[in-house]
Amino acid sequence: MRRLALLVATCGYLGFAPVAPGPVGSAAGVALFYLVRWADAAWAEPALIVALFAAGVWSASIAEQELGGTDPGPVVVDEVVGMLITLAWIPVTPLGALAGFLIFRVLDVVKPWPSRQFESLHGGLGIMADDAMAAVYGHLLMRGLVFVAPAGWVVA
C-alpha cells in the first residue's frame, strides 16, 4: 500500500522531477483537466476533484512518513487537485488554461488567508487543504477574468 500511496501522492512519480516539481504537478493537473473535457463528461469534474482530494489526503499522509518532513516536495497531488478546482466548469482556451496555471501557482506560493492556516492541519489533510483553498481563490479570479477578457481569449 505504501508504494500505491507514493504513486498517487507523487502523481505517477512526476513529483520527483529534478526541477520545479510543483509546477510539473500543476501541468499534470491541466492535462487531466483537458482529458476530462475531451471526454465531454461534465459530471466527472466534481467527482474527480472529490475523489482525488480524498486519495490525496490518504496518500500524502503516508508519503509524509515515507519521505520525511511536512509537505515533502515530491507530493504533487495537491497541485493536480488545485488546477482542477481553478479551472472547474470554465470552458477555457489554451491561453485561459495558461492564465489559470499562472494564477494558481502564484496563489499556491503566496497562500492567502486562510490557505496558510490550513497548512497546520494534520498530515495529508493539511497538504491538500491549503492548495484547495488557494485554488478556490484561483477559480474566483478566473471567473472574474472571463468577464473582463476579450472574447475568445480566455473562454472557448
Side-chain angles (χ1 to χ4, degrees):
M1 286 306 261
R2 294 200 178 280
R3 280 190 175 184
L4 178 60
L6 280 175
L7 181 73
V8 172
T10 63
C11 216
Y13 302 112
L14 288 175
F16 289 107
V19 178
V24 170
S26 295
V30 172
L32 185 56
F33 166 80
Y34 272 112
L35 182 64
V36 171
R37 287 293 168 91
W38 173 78
D40 198 27
W43 61 268
E45 276 187 72
L48 185 60
I49 289 168
V50 169
L52 274 179
F53 186 90
V57 169
W58 166 75
S59 64
S61 293
I62 293 170
E64 268 192 335
Q65 296 167 5
E66 289 292 310
L67 300 172
T70 304
D71 197 357
V75 174
V76 294
V77 67
D78 52 335
E79 272 80 17
V80 172
V81 172
M83 283 309 310
L84 292 174
I85 293 170
T86 298
L87 299 175
W89 307 289
I90 303 172
V92 295
T93 62
L95 193 54
L98 176 63
F101 175 88
L102 294 173
I103 288 169
F104 173 69
R105 292 306 312 148
V106 167
L107 291 170
D108 188 29
V109 170
V110 173
K111 298 204 183 304
W113 183 90
S115 297
R116 186 163 311 281
Q117 287 71 19
F118 286 165
E119 282 184 312
S120 65
L121 295 172
H122 181 70
L125 182 58
I127 292 171
M128 297 302 295
D130 75 302
D131 281 24
M133 188 66 232
V136 168
Y137 287 129
H139 182 83
L140 294 173
L141 286 171
M142 286 298 294
R143 289 279 172 191
L145 189 58
V146 165
F147 286 111
V148 299
W153 186 78
V154 174
V155 179

